[in-house]
Coordinates of all heavy atoms in Angstrom, one line a residue:
M30 N -11.4 4.7 21.2 CA -11.7 3.3 21.4 C -12.4 2.8 20.2 O -12.1 1.6 19.8 CB -12.6 3.1 22.7 CG -12.8 1.7 23.0 SD -11.3 0.9 23.5 CE -11.8 -0.5 24.1
A31 N -13.2 3.6 19.5 CA -13.9 3.1 18.3 C -12.9 2.8 17.2 O -13.1 1.8 16.4 CB -14.9 4.2 17.8
I32 N -11.9 3.6 17.1 CA -10.8 3.3 16.1 C -10.2 1.9 16.3 O -10.0 1.2 15.3 CB -9.8 4.4 16.0 CG1 -10.4 5.7 15.6 CG2 -8.7 4.0 15.1 CD1 -9.5 6.9 15.6
I33 N -9.9 1.6 17.5 CA -9.3 0.3 17.8 C -10.2 -0.8 17.5 O -9.8 -1.8 16.9 CB -8.9 0.2 19.3 CG1 -7.8 1.2 19.6 CG2 -8.5 -1.1 19.7 CD1 -7.5 1.4 21.1
V34 N -11.5 -0.6 17.8 CA -12.5 -1.7 17.5 C -12.6 -1.9 15.9 O -12.6 -3.0 15.4 CB -13.9 -1.4 18.1 CG1 -14.9 -2.3 17.7 CG2 -13.7 -1.5 19.6
I35 N -12.7 -0.7 15.2 CA -12.9 -0.8 13.8 C -11.7 -1.5 13.1 O -11.7 -2.3 12.3 CB -13.2 0.6 13.2 CG1 -14.5 1.1 13.7 CG2 -13.0 0.6 11.7 CD1 -14.7 2.6 13.3
T36 N -10.5 -1.1 13.6 CA -9.2 -1.7 13.1 C -9.2 -3.1 13.4 O -8.8 -3.9 12.5 CB -8.0 -1.0 13.8 OG1 -8.1 0.4 13.5 CG2 -6.7 -1.5 13.2
F37 N -9.6 -3.5 14.6 CA -9.6 -5.0 14.9 C -10.6 -5.7 14.1 O -10.1 -6.8 13.5 CB -10.0 -5.1 16.4 CG -10.1 -6.6 16.8 CD1 -9.0 -7.3 17.0 CD2 -11.4 -7.1 17.0 CE1 -9.1 -8.7 17.4 CE2 -11.5 -8.5 17.4 CZ -10.4 -9.3 17.6
I38 N -11.8 -5.2 13.8 CA -12.7 -5.9 13.0 C -12.3 -6.0 11.6 O -12.4 -7.1 11.0 CB -14.1 -5.2 13.1 CG1 -14.7 -5.4 14.6 CG2 -15.1 -5.7 12.1 CD1 -15.9 -4.6 14.9
S39 N -11.7 -4.9 11.1 CA -11.3 -5.0 9.7 C -10.1 -5.9 9.5 O -10.0 -6.6 8.5 CB -10.9 -3.6 9.2 OG -9.8 -3.1 9.9
G40 N -9.2 -6.0 10.5 CA -8.1 -7.0 10.5 C -8.6 -8.4 10.5 O -8.2 -9.3 9.7
V41 N -9.6 -8.7 11.3 CA -10.2 -10.0 11.4 C -10.9 -10.4 10.1 O -10.7 -11.5 9.6 CB -11.2 -10.2 12.6 CG1 -11.9 -11.4 12.6 CG2 -10.3 -10.0 13.9
I42 N -11.7 -9.5 9.6 CA -12.4 -9.7 8.4 C -11.4 -9.9 7.2 O -11.5 -10.8 6.4 CB -13.4 -8.5 8.0 CG1 -14.5 -8.6 9.1 CG2 -13.9 -8.7 6.6 CD1 -15.5 -7.4 8.9
G43 N -10.4 -9.1 7.1 CA -9.4 -9.2 6.0 C -8.7 -10.5 6.2 O -8.5 -11.3 5.1
T44 N -8.2 -10.9 7.3 CA -7.6 -12.2 7.5 C -8.5 -13.4 7.2 O -8.1 -14.3 6.6 CB -7.0 -12.3 9.0 OG1 -6.2 -11.2 9.2 CG2 -6.3 -13.6 9.1
G45 N -9.8 -13.2 7.6 CA -10.8 -14.3 7.3 C -11.0 -14.4 5.9 O -11.1 -15.6 5.3
L46 N -11.1 -13.3 5.1 CA -11.3 -13.4 3.7 C -10.0 -14.1 3.0 O -10.2 -14.9 2.1 CB -11.5 -12.0 3.1 CG -12.9 -11.4 3.4 CD1 -13.0 -10.0 2.8 CD2 -14.0 -12.3 2.8
G47 N -8.9 -13.7 3.5 CA -7.7 -14.3 3.0 C -7.6 -15.8 3.2 O -7.2 -16.6 2.4
G48 N -8.1 -16.2 4.4 CA -8.1 -17.6 4.7 C -9.1 -18.4 3.9 O -8.9 -19.5 3.4
I49 N -10.3 -17.7 3.6 CA -11.4 -18.4 2.7 C -10.8 -18.5 1.3 O -11.0 -19.5 0.7 CB -12.6 -17.5 2.8 CG1 -13.3 -17.6 4.2 CG2 -13.6 -17.9 1.7 CD1 -14.4 -16.7 4.4
V50 N -10.2 -17.5 0.8 CA -9.5 -17.6 -0.6 C -8.6 -18.7 -0.6 O -8.5 -19.5 -1.5 CB -8.9 -16.3 -1.0 CG1 -8.1 -16.4 -2.2 CG2 -10.0 -15.2 -1.2
G51 N -7.7 -18.8 0.4 CA -6.7 -19.9 0.5 C -7.3 -21.3 0.5 O -6.8 -22.2 0.0
A52 N -8.4 -21.3 1.3 CA -9.1 -22.6 1.4 C -9.8 -23.0 0.2 O -9.9 -24.2 -0.3 CB -10.1 -22.6 2.6
V53 N -10.4 -22.0 -0.5 CA -11.2 -22.3 -1.8 C -10.2 -22.7 -2.9 O -10.4 -23.6 -3.7 CB -12.0 -21.1 -2.2 CG1 -12.5 -21.2 -3.6 CG2 -13.2 -20.9 -1.2
L54 N -9.0 -22.0 -2.9 CA -8.0 -22.2 -4.0 C -6.9 -23.2 -3.4 O -5.8 -22.8 -3.2 CB -7.4 -21.0 -4.5 CG -8.4 -19.9 -5.0 CD1 -7.7 -18.6 -5.3 CD2 -9.1 -20.4 -6.2
R55 N -7.3 -24.4 -3.1 CA -6.4 -25.4 -2.5 C -5.2 -25.8 -3.4 O -4.2 -26.2 -2.9 CB -7.1 -26.6 -2.1 CG -7.9 -26.4 -0.9 CD -8.5 -27.7 -0.4 NE -9.3 -27.4 0.9 CZ -8.9 -27.9 2.0 NH1 -7.8 -28.6 2.2 NH2 -9.6 -27.6 3.1
R56 N -5.4 -25.7 -4.7 CA -4.3 -26.1 -5.6 C -3.1 -25.2 -5.4 O -3.2 -24.0 -5.3 CB -4.8 -25.9 -7.1 CG -5.9 -26.9 -7.5 CD -6.3 -26.7 -8.9 NE -7.1 -25.4 -8.9 CZ -7.0 -24.5 -9.8 NH1 -6.2 -24.7 -10.9 NH2 -7.8 -23.4 -9.8
E57 N -1.9 -25.8 -5.3 CA -0.7 -25.0 -5.1 C -0.2 -24.7 -6.5 O 0.8 -25.3 -7.0 CB 0.3 -25.8 -4.2 CG -0.2 -26.0 -2.8 CD 0.8 -26.6 -2.0 OE1 2.1 -26.6 -2.3 OE2 0.5 -27.2 -1.0
S58 N -0.7 -23.6 -7.0 CA -0.2 -23.2 -8.3 C 0.6 -21.9 -8.2 O 0.3 -21.1 -7.4 CB -1.5 -22.9 -9.2 OG -1.1 -22.3 -10.4
N59 N 1.7 -21.9 -8.9 CA 2.6 -20.7 -8.9 C 1.8 -19.5 -9.4 O 2.0 -18.3 -8.9 CB 3.8 -20.9 -9.7 CG 4.8 -21.8 -9.1 OD1 4.7 -22.0 -7.9 ND2 5.6 -22.4 -9.9
K60 N 0.9 -19.6 -10.3 CA 0.1 -18.5 -10.8 C -0.8 -17.9 -9.7 O -0.9 -16.7 -9.6 CB -0.8 -19.0 -12.0 CG 0.0 -19.2 -13.2 CD -1.0 -19.5 -14.4 CE -0.2 -19.6 -15.7 NZ -1.1 -19.9 -16.9
I61 N -1.4 -18.8 -9.0 CA -2.4 -18.4 -7.9 C -1.6 -17.6 -6.8 O -2.0 -16.6 -6.4 CB -3.2 -19.5 -7.4 CG1 -4.2 -20.0 -8.4 CG2 -4.0 -19.1 -6.1 CD1 -5.0 -21.2 -8.1
V62 N -0.5 -18.3 -6.4 CA 0.4 -17.6 -5.4 C 0.9 -16.3 -5.9 O 0.8 -15.3 -5.1 CB 1.5 -18.6 -5.0 CG1 2.5 -17.8 -4.1 CG2 1.0 -19.8 -4.3
S63 N 1.3 -16.2 -7.1 CA 1.8 -14.9 -7.6 C 0.7 -13.9 -7.7 O 0.9 -12.7 -7.4 CB 2.4 -15.1 -9.0 OG 3.5 -16.0 -9.0
L64 N -0.5 -14.3 -8.1 CA -1.6 -13.4 -8.1 C -1.9 -12.8 -6.7 O -2.1 -11.6 -6.6 CB -2.9 -14.1 -8.7 CG -4.2 -13.3 -8.7 CD1 -4.1 -12.2 -9.7 CD2 -5.4 -14.2 -8.8
L65 N -2.1 -13.7 -5.8 CA -2.4 -13.3 -4.4 C -1.3 -12.4 -3.8 O -1.6 -11.4 -3.1 CB -2.7 -14.5 -3.5 CG -3.9 -15.3 -3.9 CD1 -4.0 -16.5 -3.0 CD2 -5.2 -14.5 -3.7
L66 N 0.0 -12.8 -4.0 CA 1.0 -11.9 -3.6 C 1.1 -10.5 -4.2 O 1.3 -9.5 -3.6 CB 2.4 -12.6 -3.7 CG 2.7 -13.8 -2.8 CD1 4.0 -14.5 -3.1 CD2 2.7 -13.3 -1.3
S67 N 0.8 -10.5 -5.5 CA 0.8 -9.2 -6.2 C -0.4 -8.4 -5.7 O -0.2 -7.2 -5.6 CB 0.6 -9.5 -7.7 OG 1.7 -10.2 -8.3
F68 N -1.6 -9.0 -5.5 CA -2.6 -8.3 -5.0 C -2.3 -7.6 -3.7 O -2.6 -6.4 -3.4 CB -3.9 -9.1 -4.9 CG -5.1 -8.4 -4.4 CD1 -5.7 -7.6 -5.1 CD2 -5.6 -8.7 -3.1 CE1 -6.9 -6.9 -4.6 CE2 -6.6 -8.1 -2.6 CZ -7.3 -7.2 -3.3
A69 N -1.8 -8.5 -2.7 CA -1.4 -8.0 -1.4 C -0.4 -6.9 -1.5 O -0.5 -5.9 -0.7 CB -0.9 -9.1 -0.5
A70 N 0.6 -7.0 -2.3 CA 1.6 -6.0 -2.5 C 1.0 -4.7 -3.0 O 1.4 -3.5 -2.6 CB 2.8 -6.5 -3.4
G71 N 0.1 -4.8 -3.9 CA -0.5 -3.6 -4.5 C -1.4 -2.9 -3.4 O -1.4 -1.6 -3.3
I72 N -2.0 -3.6 -2.6 CA -2.8 -3.0 -1.6 C -1.9 -2.3 -0.5 O -2.1 -1.2 -0.1 CB -3.7 -4.0 -0.8 CG1 -4.8 -4.7 -1.7 CG2 -4.3 -3.5 0.5 CD1 -5.8 -3.6 -2.1
M73 N -0.8 -3.0 -0.2 CA 0.1 -2.4 0.8 C 0.7 -1.1 0.2 O 1.0 -0.1 0.9 CB 1.2 -3.4 1.2 CG 0.6 -4.5 2.2 SD 1.9 -5.5 2.8 CE 2.3 -6.5 1.4
L74 N 1.1 -1.2 -1.0 CA 1.7 0.0 -1.7 C 0.7 1.1 -1.7 O 1.1 2.3 -1.4 CB 2.2 -0.4 -3.1 CG 2.9 0.7 -3.9 CD1 4.2 1.1 -3.2 CD2 3.1 0.3 -5.3
A75 N -0.5 0.9 -2.0 CA -1.5 2.0 -2.1 C -1.7 2.6 -0.7 O -1.8 3.7 -0.5 CB -2.8 1.4 -2.6
V76 N -1.8 1.7 0.3 CA -1.9 2.2 1.7 C -0.7 3.1 2.1 O -0.9 4.2 2.6 CB -2.1 1.1 2.7 CG1 -1.9 1.6 4.1 CG2 -3.4 0.4 2.5
V77 N 0.4 2.7 1.8 CA 1.6 3.5 2.1 C 1.6 4.8 1.3 O 1.9 5.9 1.9 CB 3.0 2.7 1.8 CG1 4.2 3.6 1.8 CG2 3.1 1.6 2.8
C78 N 1.3 4.8 0.0 CA 1.3 6.0 -0.8 C 0.3 7.0 -0.3 O 0.5 8.2 -0.1 CB 1.1 5.7 -2.2 SG 2.5 4.9 -3.0
F79 N -0.9 6.5 0.0 CA -2.0 7.4 0.5 C -1.6 7.9 1.9 O -2.0 9.1 2.2 CB -3.4 6.7 0.5 CG -3.9 6.5 -0.8 CD1 -4.4 5.2 -1.2 CD2 -3.9 7.5 -1.8 CE1 -4.9 5.0 -2.5 CE2 -4.4 7.3 -3.1 CZ -4.9 6.0 -3.5
D80 N -1.0 7.1 2.7 CA -0.7 7.6 4.0 C 0.5 8.7 4.0 O 0.5 9.6 4.7 CB -0.2 6.4 4.9 CG 0.1 6.8 6.3 OD1 -0.8 7.5 6.9 OD2 1.1 6.4 6.9
L81 N 1.4 8.4 3.0 CA 2.4 9.4 2.8 C 1.9 10.8 2.3 O 2.5 11.8 2.5 CB 3.5 8.8 1.9 CG 4.4 7.8 2.4 CD1 5.3 7.3 1.3 CD2 5.3 8.4 3.5
M82 N 0.9 10.7 1.5 CA 0.3 11.9 0.9 C -0.6 12.7 1.8 O -0.6 13.9 1.7 CB -0.5 11.5 -0.4 CG 0.2 11.1 -1.5 SD 1.4 12.3 -2.1 CE 0.2 13.5 -2.8
S83 N -1.2 12.1 2.8 CA -2.1 12.9 3.7 C -1.5 14.0 4.5 O -2.0 15.0 4.5 CB -2.9 11.8 4.5 OG -2.1 11.2 5.4
E84 N -0.4 13.7 5.1 CA 0.2 14.7 6.0 C 0.8 15.9 5.2 O 0.5 17.0 5.6 CB 1.3 14.1 6.9 CG 1.8 15.0 7.9 CD 2.8 14.4 8.9 OE1 2.9 13.2 8.8 OE2 3.4 15.2 9.6
P85 N 1.5 15.7 4.1 CA 2.0 16.9 3.4 C 0.9 17.7 2.8 O 1.0 18.9 2.8 CB 2.8 16.3 2.3 CG 3.2 15.0 2.7 CD 2.1 14.5 3.6
I86 N -0.2 17.1 2.3 CA -1.3 17.9 1.8 C -2.0 18.7 2.9 O -2.3 19.8 2.7 CB -2.4 16.9 1.1 CG1 -1.8 16.4 -0.2 CG2 -3.7 17.7 0.9 CD1 -2.6 15.4 -0.8
E87 N -2.1 18.1 4.1 CA -2.7 18.9 5.2 C -1.8 20.0 5.6 O -2.3 21.1 5.9 CB -2.9 17.9 6.4 CG -3.6 18.5 7.6 CD -5.1 18.8 7.2 OE1 -5.7 18.1 6.4 OE2 -5.6 19.9 7.7
L88 N -0.5 19.7 5.7 CA 0.5 20.9 6.0 C 0.5 21.9 4.9 O 0.6 23.1 5.2 CB 1.9 20.3 6.2 CG 2.1 19.4 7.4 CD1 3.5 18.8 7.4 CD2 1.8 20.3 8.7
M89 N 0.3 21.5 3.7 CA 0.2 22.5 2.5 C -1.0 23.4 2.7 O -1.0 24.6 2.4 CB 0.2 21.8 1.2 CG 0.3 22.6 0.0 SD 0.0 21.7 -1.5 CE -1.7 21.2 -1.4
K90 N -2.2 22.8 3.0 CA -3.4 23.5 3.2 C -3.2 24.5 4.3 O -3.9 25.6 4.3 CB -4.6 22.5 3.4 CG -5.0 21.8 2.2 CD -6.2 20.9 2.6 CE -6.6 20.0 1.4 NZ -7.7 19.1 1.7
N91 N -2.5 24.2 5.4 CA -2.3 25.1 6.5 C -1.2 26.2 6.2 O -1.0 27.0 7.0 CB -1.8 24.3 7.7 CG -2.9 23.4 8.3 OD1 -4.1 23.6 8.0 ND2 -2.6 22.4 9.0
G92 N -0.6 26.1 5.0 CA 0.3 27.1 4.6 C 1.7 26.9 5.2 O 2.6 27.7 5.1
E93 N 2.0 25.6 5.7 CA 3.3 25.3 6.3 C 4.3 24.9 5.3 O 5.5 24.8 5.5 CB 3.1 24.4 7.5 CG 2.3 24.9 8.6 CD 2.1 23.8 9.6 OE1 3.0 23.0 9.9 OE2 1.0 23.9 10.2
L94 N 3.8 24.4 4.1 CA 4.6 23.8 3.1 C 4.2 24.4 1.7 O 3.0 24.9 1.6 CB 4.4 22.3 2.9 CG 5.0 21.5 4.0 CD1 4.6 19.9 3.9 CD2 6.5 21.6 4.2
P95 N 5.1 24.5 0.7 CA 4.7 25.1 -0.5 C 3.7 24.3 -1.3 O 3.5 23.1 -1.0 CB 6.1 25.2 -1.3 CG 7.0 24.2 -0.5 CD 6.5 24.1 0.8
S96 N 3.1 24.9 -2.3 CA 2.1 24.3 -3.1 C 2.5 23.1 -3.9 O 1.7 22.2 -4.4 CB 1.4 25.3 -4.0 OG 2.3 25.8 -4.9
Y97 N 3.8 23.0 -4.2 CA 4.4 21.9 -5.0 C 4.7 20.7 -4.2 O 5.3 19.7 -4.7 CB 5.5 22.3 -5.9 CG 6.7 23.0 -5.1 CD1 7.6 22.1 -4.5 CD2 6.8 24.3 -5.0 CE1 8.7 22.7 -3.8 CE2 7.8 24.8 -4.2 CZ 8.8 24.0 -3.6 OH 9.9 24.6 -2.9
T98 N 4.4 20.6 -2.9 CA 4.8 19.5 -2.1 C 4.2 18.2 -2.6 O 5.0 17.2 -2.5 CB 4.3 19.8 -0.6 OG1 4.9 21.0 -0.2 CG2 4.6 18.7 0.3
P99 N 3.0 18.1 -3.0 CA 2.5 16.8 -3.5 C 3.3 16.2 -4.6 O 3.6 15.0 -4.7 CB 1.1 17.0 -3.9 CG 0.7 18.2 -3.2 CD 1.9 19.0 -3.0
F100 N 3.8 17.0 -5.4 CA 4.7 16.6 -6.6 C 6.0 16.0 -6.1 O 6.5 15.0 -6.6 CB 5.0 17.7 -7.6 CG 3.7 18.2 -8.2 CD1 3.3 19.5 -7.9 CD2 3.1 17.4 -9.1 CE1 2.1 20.0 -8.5 CE2 1.9 17.9 -9.7 CZ 1.4 19.2 -9.4
I101 N 6.5 16.6 -5.0 CA 7.8 16.1 -4.4 C 7.5 14.7 -3.8 O 8.3 13.8 -3.9 CB 8.3 17.1 -3.3 CG1 8.8 18.4 -4.0 CG2 9.4 16.4 -2.5 CD1 9.2 19.5 -3.1
V102 N 6.4 14.6 -3.1 CA 6.1 13.3 -2.4 C 5.9 12.2 -3.5 O 6.4 11.1 -3.4 CB 4.8 13.4 -1.6 CG1 4.4 12.1 -1.0 CG2 5.1 14.4 -0.4
V103 N 5.1 12.5 -4.6 CA 4.9 11.5 -5.6 C 6.2 11.1 -6.3 O 6.5 9.9 -6.5 CB 3.9 12.1 -6.7 CG1 3.8 11.2 -7.9 CG2 2.6 12.2 -6.1
A104 N 7.1 12.1 -6.6 CA 8.4 11.9 -7.1 C 9.3 11.0 -6.2 O 10.0 10.0 -6.7 CB 9.1 13.2 -7.4
A105 N 9.2 11.2 -4.9 CA 10.0 10.4 -3.9 C 9.5 9.0 -3.9 O 10.3 8.0 -3.9 CB 9.9 11.1 -2.6
V106 N 8.1 8.8 -4.0 CA 7.5 7.5 -4.0 C 8.0 6.7 -5.3 O 8.4 5.6 -5.3 CB 6.0 7.5 -3.9 CG1 5.4 6.2 -4.2 CG2 5.6 8.0 -2.5
I107 N 7.9 7.4 -6.4 CA 8.3 6.8 -7.7 C 9.9 6.5 -7.7 O 10.3 5.4 -8.1 CB 8.0 7.8 -8.9 CG1 6.5 7.8 -9.0 CG2 8.7 7.3 -10.2 CD1 6.0 8.8 -10.0
F108 N 10.7 7.4 -7.1 CA 12.1 7.1 -7.0 C 12.3 5.9 -6.1 O 13.2 5.1 -6.4 CB 12.8 8.3 -6.4 CG 14.3 8.1 -6.2 CD1 15.1 8.1 -7.3 CD2 14.8 8.0 -4.9 CE1 16.5 7.9 -7.1 CE2 16.1 7.8 -4.7 CZ 17.0 7.8 -5.8
G109 N 11.6 5.8 -5.0 CA 11.8 4.7 -4.1 C 11.5 3.3 -4.8 O 12.1 2.3 -4.6
Y110 N 10.3 3.4 -5.5 CA 9.9 2.2 -6.2 C 11.0 1.8 -7.3 O 11.3 0.7 -7.4 CB 8.6 2.4 -7.0 CG 8.1 1.3 -7.8 CD1 7.6 0.2 -7.1 CD2 8.2 1.3 -9.2 CE1 7.0 -0.9 -7.9 CE2 7.8 0.2 -9.9 CZ 7.2 -0.9 -9.3 OH 6.8 -2.0 -10.0
A111 N 11.6 2.8 -8.0 CA 12.6 2.5 -9.0 C 13.8 1.9 -8.4 O 14.5 1.0 -9.0 CB 12.9 3.8 -9.7
V112 N 14.2 2.4 -7.2 CA 15.4 1.9 -6.5 C 15.1 0.4 -6.1 O 16.1 -0.4 -6.4 CB 15.7 2.7 -5.3 CG1 16.7 2.0 -4.4 CG2 16.3 4.1 -5.7
V113 N 14.0 0.1 -5.6 CA 13.7 -1.3 -5.2 C 13.7 -2.2 -6.5 O 14.2 -3.3 -6.5 CB 12.4 -1.4 -4.4 CG1 11.9 -2.8 -4.3 CG2 12.5 -0.7 -3.1
Y114 N 13.1 -1.7 -7.5 CA 13.0 -2.4 -8.8 C 14.4 -2.7 -9.3 O 14.7 -3.8 -9.7 CB 12.2 -1.6 -9.8 CG 12.1 -2.3 -11.2 CD1 11.2 -3.3 -11.4 CD2 13.0 -2.0 -12.2 CE1 11.1 -4.0 -12.6 CE2 12.9 -2.6 -13.4 CZ 11.9 -3.6 -13.6 OH 11.8 -4.2 -14.8
L115 N 15.3 -1.7 -9.3 CA 16.7 -1.9 -9.8 C 17.4 -2.8 -8.9 O 18.3 -3.6 -9.3 CB 17.4 -0.5 -9.9 CG 16.8 0.3 -11.0 CD1 17.5 1.7 -10.9 CD2 17.1 -0.3 -12.4
L116 N 17.3 -2.8 -7.6 CA 17.9 -3.7 -6.6 C 17.5 -5.1 -6.8 O 18.3 -6.0 -6.6 CB 17.7 -3.3 -5.2 CG 18.4 -2.0 -4.7 CD1 17.9 -1.6 -3.3 CD2 19.9 -2.1 -4.8
N117 N 16.3 -5.4 -7.3 CA 15.8 -6.7 -7.5 C 16.4 -7.3 -8.7 O 16.6 -8.5 -8.8 CB 14.3 -6.8 -7.6 CG 13.6 -6.7 -6.3 OD1 14.2 -7.2 -5.4 ND2 12.4 -6.1 -6.3
Y118 N 16.8 -6.5 -9.7 CA 17.4 -7.0 -11.0 C 18.9 -6.7 -11.1 O 19.4 -7.0 -12.2 CB 16.6 -6.4 -12.2 CG 15.2 -6.9 -12.2 CD1 14.1 -6.2 -11.8 CD2 15.0 -8.2 -12.7 CE1 12.8 -6.8 -11.8 CE2 13.7 -8.8 -12.8 CZ 12.7 -8.1 -12.3 OH 11.4 -8.6 -12.4
A119 N 19.5 -6.2 -10.0 CA 21.0 -5.9 -10.1 C 21.7 -7.1 -9.6 O 21.3 -8.0 -9.0 CB 21.3 -4.6 -9.4

């Protein structure tokens, strides 16, 4: 139950901070919108990467996966990023 409450509070605070930033920066500038979207994308990418890394590292510590598993995960994330990048410019 504590995890649900903490998640709810962090979501409300994050959304509130985003609303405050949007209210303070009322000018509709492409630079500001690009900055905020880039920041949000970076945060989401970091969350996904760290979430993807936690389980293989735990399995590696338990001896269920080989020691080079983190390198495979990092390579897969970089490959996925490259594919999306190429699809955007193709």
Side-chain angles (χ1 to χ4, degrees):
M30 187 64 169
I32 294 174
I33 293 172
V34 171
I35 291 170
T36 305
F37 175 75
I38 291 171
S39 64
V41 168
I42 290 172
T44 304
L46 287 175
I49 290 170
V50 169
V53 169
L54 303 174
R55 285 187 177 248
R56 294 177 287 141
E57 292 186 22
S58 168
N59 286 337
K60 286 184 180 182
I61 293 173
V62 171
S63 295
L64 173 73
L65 293 175
L66 287 175
S67 298
F68 179 74
I72 294 293
M73 288 187 286
L74 184 63
V76 167
V77 167
C78 289
F79 289 132
D80 188 46
L81 287 174
M82 288 297 291
S83 64
E84 187 175 350
I86 288 175
E87 189 65 35
L88 291 173
M89 183 187 70
K90 287 180 182 177
N91 293 337
E93 298 175 35
L94 292 175
S96 62
Y97 56 85
T98 299
F100 298 111
I101 293 173
V102 174
V103 170
V106 169
I107 291 171
F108 177 74
Y110 179 76
V112 167
V113 170
Y114 179 80
L115 291 173
L116 287 174
N117 281 330
Y118 290 102

